[in-house]
């Protein structure tokens, strides 16, 4: 009888997440039942599963979107010098969006050379632009060579203009679906309606080639191989510590509650993932999100909240809170309790600290450990000011003598922004430590669930292309492909959900 040796444990992957939940150096008391919910609250019900849409229907929804033809009016036309395009600009915008239907430019060109598929495009042109525009089309659609010429010479230089006009039309579409609108229904700021909450996230889109060097040398054979390299791509770290090579993009979206195929992507942006020296033309993730949300707010004043991940820090949350938004993110690791104030009334004295995103009372326990007891919040109050909106937690302090009531600001104050002469730093980063909606509450978990919808956007985007690689080189090219995907997504939403006048 032979004995089998125990299998050696596999070495840990370089990209495996590192444990971040180190034990606390203090004791955190039980979370009270308050305006953010109770332990007995039932979990949020799951929405209905979205039905599968076949390729024919997705393509039909795309080419019959009237907003697509409005956006096409802004595309650049023929130049006075050089080879003119073989087709009008609207055809190339449809081609760009169709790449996300068929998976690649090669497959899209093959479909547009087919009489049946091309007749569908011609019919949509006839419906939206008239008989003259449809009759002027060529017998077949663009070849791959036609597409590459227009993409490189016309679309890439105009990517910022296409991005901006697309975003404006998408916000108008969301408003027409009843999203981001002011409603007569009284809703709590702690539990805003699903269609009034923006969710956002950043993703890394992998380029067609994973090579980062133009030449590689085989030491064994001496062979030198040349590769195409995406000059804008770099190594980025995604959630869980996973390293991905590619270009980084930011997106925001909104959707209706319990309604399949109702998501509207509102804005897209290419953001910095290298150092400012290597990538000076793009903003960092948090700064880009603040600018993106403010742009949306100009058209959609019914927006109540924004959900994001821990990449959004206090300095990014502060300007959005000042706009009157509830900004929710999970608690960032490594934050220690911060002293807030000492509340005194008569003979009563209570040391108030900020821990785990909320106001707590600090006490010393017998074994020399510090106990932070979360204080119940009766209400998240919102008061509009001349220049910004202020938010307060109306807190109850249990006390043997009497129950105390206290209002605590949860937005950045003028005193917070002052610089401490000793440390040369801001006196108190309030929006980093104190949250409007604490994460470890039923209301916080509800908002966190809304943010997970962004993961679905990026997952579907990756799966739309072979080997989950975006079929375009460079940040501008990849952003255009992502814009085409967003047009496809929003066209499906427009076709399957009613529009309100």
């Amino acid at each position: 009888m032979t004995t089998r040796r125990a299998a050696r444990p596999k070495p840990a992957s370089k990209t495996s997440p590192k444990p971040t939940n180190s034990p606390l150096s203090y004791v955190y008391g039980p979370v009270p039942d308050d305006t953010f919910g109770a332990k007995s609250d039932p979990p949020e019900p799951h929405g209905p599963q979205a039905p599968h849409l076949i390729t024919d229907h997705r393509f039909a929804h795309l080419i019959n979107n009237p907003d697509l033809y409005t956006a096409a009016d802004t595309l650049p036309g023929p130049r006075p010098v050089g080879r003119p395009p073989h087709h009008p600009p609207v055809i190339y915008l449809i081609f760009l969006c169709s790449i996300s239907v068929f998976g690649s430019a090669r497959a899209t060109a093959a479909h547009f050379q087919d009489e049946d598929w091309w007749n569908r495009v011609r019919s949509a042109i006839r419906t939206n632009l008239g008989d003259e525009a449809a009759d002027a089309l060529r017998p077949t659609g663009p070849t791959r060579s036609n597409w590459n010429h227009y993409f490189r010479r016309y679309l890439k230089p105009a990517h910022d203009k296409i991005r901006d006009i697309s975003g404006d039309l998408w916000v108008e579409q969301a408003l027409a679906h009843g999203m981001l609108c002011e409603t007569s229904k009284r809703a709590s700021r702690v539990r805003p309606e699903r269609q009034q909450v923006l969710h956002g996230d950043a993703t890394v889109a992998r380029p067609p080639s994973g090579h980062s060097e133009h030449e590689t040398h085989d030491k064994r054979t001496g062979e030198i191989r040349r590769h195409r390299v995406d000059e804008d791509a770099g190594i980025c770290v995604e959630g869980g510590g996973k390293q991905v090579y590619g270009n980084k993009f930011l997106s925001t979206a909104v959707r209706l509650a319990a309604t399949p195929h109702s998501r509207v992507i509102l804005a897209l942006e290419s953001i910095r993932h290298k150092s400012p020296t290597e990538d000076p033309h793009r903003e960092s993730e948090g700064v880009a999100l603040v600018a993106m949300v403010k742009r949306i707010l100009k058209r959609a004043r019914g927006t109540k909240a924004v959900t994001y991940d821990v990449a959004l820090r206090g300095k990014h949350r502060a300007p959005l809170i000042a706009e009157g938004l509830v900004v929710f993110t999970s608690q960032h690791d490594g934050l220690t309790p911060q002293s807030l104030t000492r509340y005194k009334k008569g003979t009563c004295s209570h040391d108030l600290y900020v821990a785990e995103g909320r106001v707590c009372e600090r006490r010393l326990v017998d074994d020399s450990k510090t106990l932070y007891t979360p204080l119940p919040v009766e209400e998240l109050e919102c008061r509009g000011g001349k220049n910004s909106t202020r938010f307060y937690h109306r807190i109850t302090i249990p006390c043997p003598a009497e129950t105390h009531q206290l209002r605590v600001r949860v937005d950045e104050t003028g005193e917070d922004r002052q610089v401490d002469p000793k440390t040369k730093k801001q006196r108190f980063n309030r929006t980093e430590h104190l949250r409007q909606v604490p994460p470890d509450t039923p209301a916080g978990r509800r908002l966190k669930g809304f943010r997970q919808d962004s993961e679905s956007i990026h997952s579907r985007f990756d799966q739309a292309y072979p080997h989950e690689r975006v079929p375009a080189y460079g940040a501008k090219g990849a952003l255009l492909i992502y814009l085409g995907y967003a047009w496809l997504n929003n066209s499906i939403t427009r076709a399957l959900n009613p529009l309100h006048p």
Side-chain angles (χ1 to χ4, degrees), residues 161-226:
K161 187 176 182 181
I162 299 169
R163 175 201 61 204
D164 292 343
I165 186 62
S166 297
D168 291 343
L169 290 169
W170 295 339
V171 173
E172 294 300 324
Q173 178 186 336
L175 293 171
H177 286 301
M179 307 178 198
L180 308 180
C181 298
E182 292 285 0
T183 63
S184 58
K185 181 180 178 181
R186 182 176 175 84
S188 165
R189 289 192 174 269
V190 172
R191 288 181 167 270
E193 296 181 58
R194 183 69 181 88
Q195 59 267 22
Q196 293 179 322
V197 181
L198 295 178
H199 55 267
D201 195 18
T203 187
V204 180
R206 299 165 63 198
S209 169
H211 292 282
S212 58
E213 297 181 359
H214 290 279
E215 290 186 353
T216 56
H217 178 245
D218 191 323
K219 296 181 180 180
R220 186 174 62 85
T221 64
E223 180 183 9
I224 297 177
R225 293 185 177 181
R226 292 177 174 81

Side-chain angles (χ1 to χ4, degrees), residues 131-409:
D131 293 338
E132 184 178 350
D135 294 337
L137 295 177
R138 291 172 177 256
T140 58
T143 63
R144 193 181 178 201
S145 176
N146 299 152
W147 161 251
N148 288 336
H149 172 258
Y150 191 87
F151 186 68
R152 180 181 64 255
R153 186 171 175 83
Y154 293 92
L155 284 182
K156 278 190 175 181
H159 77 285
D160 52 349
K161 187 176 182 181
I162 299 169
R163 175 201 61 204
D164 292 343
I165 186 62
S166 297
D168 291 343
L169 290 169
W170 295 339
V171 173
E172 294 300 324
Q173 178 186 336
L175 293 171
H177 286 301
M179 307 178 198
L180 308 180
C181 298
E182 292 285 0
T183 63
S184 58
K185 181 180 178 181
R186 182 176 175 84
S188 165
R189 289 192 174 269
V190 172
R191 288 181 167 270
E193 296 181 58
R194 183 69 181 88
Q195 59 267 22
Q196 293 179 322
V197 181
L198 295 178
H199 55 267
D201 195 18
T203 187
V204 180
R206 299 165 63 198
S209 169
H211 292 282
S212 58
E213 297 181 359
H214 290 279
E215 290 186 353
T216 56
H217 178 245
D218 191 323
K219 296 181 180 180
R220 186 174 62 85
T221 64
E223 180 183 9
I224 297 177
R225 293 185 177 181
R226 292 177 174 81
H227 310 282
R228 187 171 180 182
V229 174
D230 190 322
E231 300 294 347
D232 293 332
I235 298 293
C236 306
V237 179
E238 290 189 324
K242 182 180 179 182
Q243 292 186 347
V244 182
Y245 176 74
N247 292 291
K248 200 168 189 179
F249 298 97
L250 171 67
S251 70
T252 54
V254 65
R255 70 176 305 157
L256 297 171
T259 307
H261 294 302
S262 66
R263 181 192 302 119
V264 176
I265 299 174
L266 299 170
L268 295 168
E269 183 61 277
S270 173
I271 56 176
R272 180 184 297 142
H273 58 276
K274 299 179 180 180
S275 67
T277 304
E278 296 178 294
D279 196 14
H281 303 296
R282 284 182 286 276
E283 297 288 356
S284 60
E285 186 173 343
V287 175
L289 178 74
V290 172
M292 183 181 288
V293 172
K294 285 186 175 182
R295 179 182 173 91
I296 294 171
L297 280 178
K298 290 180 180 180
R299 292 175 172 264
R301 298 304 303 177
T303 307
K304 299 299 183 185
V306 179
T307 65
Y308 207 76
D309 60 19
V310 294
L312 203 66
R313 304 304 297 263
K315 62 182 180 180
H316 307 127
R317 286 192 288 269
L320 296 180
I321 293 172
E323 293 286 339
L325 297 175
V326 172
V327 184
F328 177 83
T329 66
S330 297
Q331 188 75 350
H332 200 279
D333 291 331
L335 295 181
T336 57
Q338 300 289 311
S339 175
L340 183 65
T341 186
R342 173 170 288 182
Y343 178 84
K344 288 186 176 182
K345 186 177 180 182
T347 59
C348 301
S349 178
H350 302 271
D351 287 331
L352 302 185
Y353 275 65
V354 178
E356 304 297 318
R358 62 187 299 158
V359 179
C360 302
E361 184 175 3
R362 178 180 180 266
R363 293 191 184 94
L364 295 177
V365 293
D366 294 340
D367 54 357
S368 300
K369 278 202 171 185
T370 307
L371 170 65
Y372 294 96
T373 305
L375 299 178
V377 179
E378 301 300 325
E379 186 181 359
L380 174 64
E381 296 183 353
C382 176
R383 297 182 181 180
K386 291 183 179 180
N387 300 320
S388 64
T389 304
R390 294 169 294 172
F391 285 88
Y392 298 83
H393 279 176
R394 184 155 56 85
I395 293 171
T396 298
I397 306 177
C399 179
E402 62 175 310
T403 300
H404 308 293
Q405 296 281 347
L406 178 67
R407 283 181 174 86
V408 176
R409 288 276 294 272

Side-chain angles (χ1 to χ4, degrees), residues 96 99 147 151 156 205-209 228 230 247 469-482:
L96 171 68
I99 291 176
W147 161 251
F151 186 68
K156 278 190 175 181
R206 299 165 63 198
S209 169
R228 187 171 180 182
D230 190 322
N247 292 291
R469 293 186 177 274
V470 177
Y473 284 92
K476 293 179 181 178
L479 178 61
L480 285 167
I481 298 295
Y482 206 157

